[in-house]
Amino acid sequence: MENSGYGYQWWRGELNVDEMKFPIIYVAGYGGQFLFIVPDLDLVTLFLHHNPKDLELSHTMAWKEMEKFIVPSFIRRLNH
């Protein structure tokens, strides 16, 4: 993830969607719980996954869902 950083209990990063980059602010919790904020799209998404046995999979899954499904769907909806 490019342009990542951490401060005040929040993370920063970028989502790469359809050759576009979106700054993102997020909180990562135990077992794949996330709160994502995409300011450029006025989008807030909450994930309540819970997989304490495979934390890497839970975190990867949330990012993939944001980049492949949620943000692209939101962009298409805004463009119509």
Side-chain angles (χ1 to χ4, degrees):
M1 175 176 35
E2 298 174 18
N3 297 324
S4 63
Y6 180 78
Y8 300 104
Q9 307 295 315
W10 292 87
W11 289 92
R12 294 177 328 153
E14 283 185 344
L15 286 173
N16 298 305
V17 178
D18 298 332
E19 298 182 18
M20 295 181 286
K21 294 184 180 198
F22 294 95
I24 188 168
I25 303 163
Y26 65 98
V27 178
Y30 181 69
Q33 300 167 357
F34 281 93
L35 174 66
F36 290 107
I37 302 169
V38 186
D40 292 351
L41 299 174
D42 292 329
L43 175 64
V44 176
T45 306
L46 177 65
F47 284 83
L48 297 175
H49 294 203
H50 185 68
N51 187 358
K53 295 179 183 175
D54 193 344
L55 297 177
E56 182 69 29
L57 175 62
S58 292
H59 286 214
T60 302
M61 189 168 71
W63 278 97
K64 285 182 181 178
E65 289 175 0
M66 285 294 290
E67 289 182 335
K68 290 185 177 184
F69 303 109
I70 296 170
V71 172
S73 295
F74 198 81
I75 293 168
R76 282 192 295 273
R77 185 173 176 196
L78 289 177
N79 289 332
H80 285 36

